[in-house]
């Protein structure tokens, strides 16, 4: 029986994870649930799964959570704040941690799970983007294992012998990450001037949260995945390529030196990757609709448009710069996306904000967590300044 802590339980990854857990009560037990500030949803999940620990990241919501759980007759322990998230990730109540907190907020708890030797199921790509070397060092220290939940990286994991081998020894030539192209595939910059958050979040294939949906629309999501693949599989940037595949059926491919190309296929449903990681090396039923190749009929592939969707190129540049550059990239992107979703920044100003941050803040060696967090904070402040300037420019030029 695997004892599972789900961090980010009220998000889309959390929901998919808990759906699989509910299908296999003989295999999995939820022992900790954590959410940011959605008290109602977290309380409902606690009433259903009866964890030992419930954590709300925002301390201002703790009393409301306690009251709701008491009303529902749930007797689990309640905690709040960053230290409680770390306890949920590293405590003795669990052996498996699903790290699905969105953004930089999930970094410290992810590192704590790794240091504690947990089986770490990583959906929080920002943690490895910001602090890849630190995460790998924490895994080595704790002696645990990391299994990726991103559909693309999980696909690569499945196509490699042993999951995460030495690529050179395994005879790997290239890793090919597939991208759907998002809702604006085929459009040019002139078509994207008046993009609204609703349009950017209307992904054609996947049902995701608003932040990751915008990242998909800008191709930043794929840029973050390139950085993630670099650390997960110890792959140099020149061996990681992105190919646009609008059907989202081939989730990624691995090319070998003998000419073989292995691909993992499946319907666009995150439960496939999550079930793979939860049960690995076994397989369990995930509730996913079987793939009907005859119904799909065709699979298309094309090169990404880096001139229109510049975020992917910016991610490659940050990876090449090394050190804290990827933390700066991630922080600037989070701030820019939040401003876009709030109506304070045009869609096309997202990459401009990131580019200005990368140019204005020099990267330093990411020697420890304090250095990474300082780079993150500095980049956020710089991004906010840039956003204010770009927003004022936009309003000034509006008719």
């Amino acid at each position: 029986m695997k004892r599972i802590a789900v961090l980010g339980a009220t998000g889309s990854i959390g929901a998919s994870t808990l759906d699989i857990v509910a299908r296999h009560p003989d295999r999995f037990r939820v022992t900790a649930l954590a959410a940011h500030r959605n008290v109602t949803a977290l309380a409902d999940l606690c009433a259903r799964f009866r964890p030992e620990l419930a954590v709300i990241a925002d301390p201002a919501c703790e009393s409301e959570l306690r009251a709701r759980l008491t009303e529902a007759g749930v007797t689990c322990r309640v905690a709040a704040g960053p230290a409680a998230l770390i306890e949920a990730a590293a405590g003795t109540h669990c052996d498996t941690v699903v790290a699905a907190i969105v953004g930089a907020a999930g970094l410290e708890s992810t590192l704590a799970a790794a240091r504690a030797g947990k089986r770490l199921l990583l959906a929080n790509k920002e943690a490895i983007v910001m602090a890849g070397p630190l995460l790998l060092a924490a895994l080595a220290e704790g002696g645990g294992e990391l299994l990726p939940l991103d559909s693309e990286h999980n696909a690569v994991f499945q196509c490699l012998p042993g999951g995460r081998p030495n690529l050179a020894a395994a005879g790997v030539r290239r890793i090919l990450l597939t991208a759907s192209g998002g809702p604006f595939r085929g459009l040019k910059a002139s078509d994207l001037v008046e993009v609204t958050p609703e349009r950017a979040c209307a992904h054609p294939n996947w049902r995701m949260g608003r932040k990751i949906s915008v990242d998909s629309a800008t191709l930043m999501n794929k840029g973050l995945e390139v950085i993630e693949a670099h650390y997960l599989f110890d792959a140099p940037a020149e061996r990681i390529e992105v190919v646009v595949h609008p059907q989202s059926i081939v989730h990624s491919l691995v090319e070998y030196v003998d000419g073989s190309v292995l691909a993992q296929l499946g319907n666009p449903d995150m439960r496939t990757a999550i079930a793979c990681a939860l049960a690995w090396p076994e397989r369990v039923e995930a509730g996913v609709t079987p793939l009907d190749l005859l119904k799909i009929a065709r699979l298309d592939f094309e090169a990404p448009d880096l001139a229109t969707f510049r975020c992917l190129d910016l991610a490659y540049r940050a990876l090449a710069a090394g050190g804290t550059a990827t933390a700066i990239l991630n922080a600037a992107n989070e701030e820019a996306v939040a401003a876009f979703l709030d109506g304070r920044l045009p869609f096309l100003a997202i990459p401009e904000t990131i580019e200005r941050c990368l140019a204005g803040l020099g990267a330093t060696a990411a020697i420890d967590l304090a250095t990474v967090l300082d780079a993150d904070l500095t980049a956020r402040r710089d991004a906010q300044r840039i956003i204010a300037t770009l927003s004022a420019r936009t309003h000034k030029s509006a008719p």
Side-chain angles (χ1 to χ4, degrees):
M1 177 74 71
K2 290 179 180 175
R3 298 170 299 140
I4 301 170
V6 184
L7 312 185
T10 59
S12 60
I13 295 295
S16 293
T17 299
L18 294 172
D19 177 80
I20 295 165
V21 167
R23 293 171 184 273
H24 301 281
D26 58 324
R27 287 176 172 267
F28 310 120
R29 177 170 175 259
V30 174
T31 55
L33 292 170
H36 176 44
R37 61 193 324 273
N38 192 337
V39 172
T40 300
L42 181 58
D44 288 345
L45 291 175
C46 289
R48 181 182 178 192
F49 290 96
R50 303 283 168 160
E52 299 171 17
L53 173 65
V55 173
I56 194 79
D58 186 346
C61 300
E62 182 178 1
S63 59
E64 182 184 354
L65 178 61
R66 288 184 184 277
R68 285 184 177 270
L69 292 179
T70 298
E71 182 182 353
V74 179
T75 58
C76 69
R77 191 159 60 89
V78 177
L85 282 176
I86 289 173
E87 180 189 358
T92 57
H93 52 266
C94 68
D95 50 60
T96 301
V97 175
V98 177
I101 297 174
V102 176
L107 174 58
E108 292 190 76
S109 55
T110 300
L111 289 173
R115 281 193 296 268
K118 307 297 183 181
R119 170 176 274 203
L120 178 59
L121 276 52
L122 185 66
N124 174 265
K125 62 172 61 67
E126 290 85 358
I128 197 167
V129 166
M130 290 176 65
L134 300 182
L135 179 57
L136 296 180
L139 283 166
E141 175 187 340
E145 57 183 337
L146 188 156
L147 286 86
L149 289 191
D150 267 349
S151 60
E152 295 81 2
H153 301 93
N154 187 267
V156 172
F157 178 86
Q158 293 188 55
C159 291
L160 291 171
R164 294 175 58 206
N166 178 285
L167 295 191
V172 173
R173 179 180 287 144
R174 287 186 303 167
I175 290 173
L176 297 162
L177 301 177
T178 54
S180 69
F184 305 134
R185 182 180 65 88
L187 300 183
K188 299 299 181 184
S190 59
D191 303 314
L192 303 176
V193 175
E194 302 295 334
V195 164
T196 64
E198 289 69 29
R199 285 182 62 199
C201 291
H203 196 282
N205 300 333
W206 298 93
R207 300 180 69 178
M208 306 180 293
R210 285 166 67 79
K211 192 268 181 183
I212 192 173
S213 293
V214 175
D215 283 348
S216 178
T218 64
L219 287 194
M220 177 54 86
N221 193 44
K222 210 52 50 179
L224 298 178
E225 288 174 9
V226 168
I227 298 169
E228 187 178 0
H230 165 71
Y231 289 116
L232 282 175
F233 305 112
D234 193 22
E238 60 271 18
R239 290 197 180 187
I240 307 169
E241 297 183 22
V242 172
V243 59
V244 174
H245 168 53
Q247 290 91 355
S248 295
I249 296 299
V250 177
H251 299 298
S252 277
L253 312 93
V254 175
E255 180 184 20
Y256 290 85
V257 294
D258 62 4
S260 298
V261 179
L262 302 187
Q264 188 266 333
L265 286 73
N267 281 314
D269 189 321
M270 283 304 302
R271 289 177 297 176
T272 297
I274 295 168
C276 171
L278 279 173
W280 186 265
E282 299 177 69
R283 300 276 182 171
V284 296
E285 194 275 328
V288 177
T289 302
L291 181 63
D292 186 343
L293 288 173
L294 296 180
K295 183 177 180 180
I296 294 165
R298 59 181 289 172
L299 301 173
D300 298 303
F301 302 91
E302 60 191 60
D305 178 0
L306 299 182
T308 302
F309 302 97
R310 298 192 298 118
C311 285
L312 177 55
D313 181 60
L314 291 171
Y316 272 105
R317 282 198 242 168
L319 180 56
T324 57
T326 54
I328 294 168
L329 172 94
N330 179 72
N333 179 64
E334 286 191 13
E335 294 297 321
V337 170
F340 167 69
L341 288 172
D342 289 343
R344 295 182 287 117
L345 192 70
F347 181 78
L348 291 176
I350 294 174
E352 185 174 355
T353 301
I354 298 165
E355 187 169 35
R356 289 192 184 194
C357 268
L358 286 171
L361 301 175
T364 60
I367 55 175
D368 54 27
L369 181 59
T371 302
V372 171
L373 293 177
D374 181 66
D376 175 82
L377 180 60
T378 301
R380 289 179 190 279
R381 289 172 175 166
D382 195 49
Q384 290 165 6
R385 176 188 60 78
I386 294 166
I387 288 166
T389 301
L390 295 177
S391 178
R393 183 187 71 183
T394 301
H395 288 111
K396 185 177 181 180
S397 61

